[in-house]
Amino acid sequence: MRVKRNKNFRRILRFYRLEFGVKDPYKVLIDGTFLTHSLQQKIQVREQLPKMLGARATPMVTGCVLHELRSLGGRGAGAAYIAKGYYRVKCGHACPIGAQECIQEQIGEDNERKLIVATQDENLVQGLRQVPGVPLIRLHQGVPFVEDPSRASKEHREADHRRRLQPATWEKPKLPALQQKASEAAARASAPPRKRKGPKGPNPLSCKAKKKTRTAAQATEAPGPAAPRA
């Protein structure tokens, strides 16, 4: 079952790599809800991320996430201690704001920094699903998994593929001439073949067959008449 899950994760990550440029080493932005649930399920996030993603992964938090965990007191002390050892993303908030709002600001409208987000916050998940190109890591029954691409990501891919099929700006002025050439070629291909005019060759039935001539060597080698018997 684990092998099947890993193949599915690689398929999903391949989609994000080809369509949105999310590639390893992966940058995984983790919020307090994911850290808290991982701690309760005794999941070592730093060790599990490379195994699950099949490549190098850097766990990250923002200052606002760390501040939110510390504000929980004893309930978030363990998760805050773990988060303190992760890479700190500079969110630019001198006065800390909510972790959900902070993470949404880091993602923006197009996930320019190519981040993966690990969260258990349903409101944050719903918001990030509206942004194309944001891979999500969730927990289900104590097992981390990579969520399937959102509808926004799939629609963005389809729109991008349609755009690639359209002619470029510099190609549009040449389209009428190209279309005319294509229609002329199609007309020539569909027209019946024309008969060739010219001198006809000789009728093979009216031609006489060549007679075989005997050479001098063949004449001398030919046996003479047999001698009469006595």
Side-chain angles (χ1 to χ4, degrees):
M1 183 63 71
R2 177 177 293 181
V3 174
K4 187 175 181 180
R5 286 202 306 265
N6 290 341
K7 286 184 178 180
N8 187 46
F9 297 160
R10 288 195 292 269
R11 177 185 60 81
I12 296 171
L13 293 172
R14 182 175 180 271
F15 169 85
Y16 283 109
R17 182 179 71 253
L18 296 177
E19 301 298 332
F20 300 97
V22 180
K23 55 186 178 180
D24 67 287
Y26 296 112
K27 297 175 287 186
V28 184
L29 185 57
I30 305 172
D31 74 343
T33 61
F34 190 87
L35 279 174
T36 303
H37 284 78
S38 299
L39 189 60
Q40 292 173 356
Q41 301 292 334
K42 298 181 180 179
I43 298 174
Q44 302 292 332
V45 177
R46 187 187 293 272
E47 288 75 16
Q48 288 298 321
L49 283 178
K51 295 178 182 179
M52 181 177 62
L53 301 177
R56 294 174 296 169
T58 303
M60 302 177 172
V61 294
T62 66
C64 297
V65 171
L66 191 56
H67 179 269
E68 186 175 83
L69 286 172
R70 287 172 176 170
S71 66
L72 296 176
R75 292 183 301 161
Y81 179 79
I82 296 173
K84 189 177 179 181
Y86 292 166
Y87 181 85
R88 186 81 61 85
V89 177
K90 295 180 179 179
C91 59
H93 297 131
C95 183
I97 61 176
Q100 175 184 341
E101 183 181 356
C102 179
I103 291 176
Q104 286 180 323
E105 285 188 10
Q106 304 312 308
I107 296 300
E109 296 181 355
D110 55 1
N111 193 19
E112 182 179 359
R113 300 164 75 175
K114 313 304 179 186
L115 298 172
I116 300 176
V117 179
T119 180
Q120 290 295 98
D121 188 337
E122 290 297 331
N123 293 329
L124 179 58
V125 168
Q126 294 299 327
L128 294 179
R129 283 175 181 166
Q130 307 303 317
V131 182
V134 183
L136 295 174
I137 297 178
R138 311 290 307 282
L139 283 173
H140 178 67
Q141 296 181 353
V143 179
F145 69 96
V146 183
E147 192 174 87
D148 286 333
S150 64
R151 179 180 297 181
S153 296
K154 293 179 180 179
E155 290 177 352
H156 183 277
R157 177 192 60 178
E158 294 172 359
D160 185 62
H161 286 186
R162 288 194 298 269
R163 180 184 58 80
R164 292 179 184 180
L165 295 175
Q166 297 298 322
T169 304
W170 62 271
E171 293 175 322
K172 290 181 179 179
K174 300 180 180 181
L175 281 179
L178 294 175
Q179 292 173 350
Q180 183 178 358
K181 288 183 179 180
S183 60
E184 291 174 355
R188 288 194 298 268
S190 61
R194 298 174 60 185
K195 294 183 179 180
R196 296 181 58 186
K197 295 181 179 181
K200 296 182 178 180
N203 187 353
L205 299 178
S206 63
C207 298
K208 294 183 178 180
K210 293 182 179 180
K211 295 182 178 180
K212 295 183 179 180
T213 58
R214 299 176 62 187
T215 60
Q218 292 175 342
T220 55
E221 291 179 358
R229 296 182 179 181

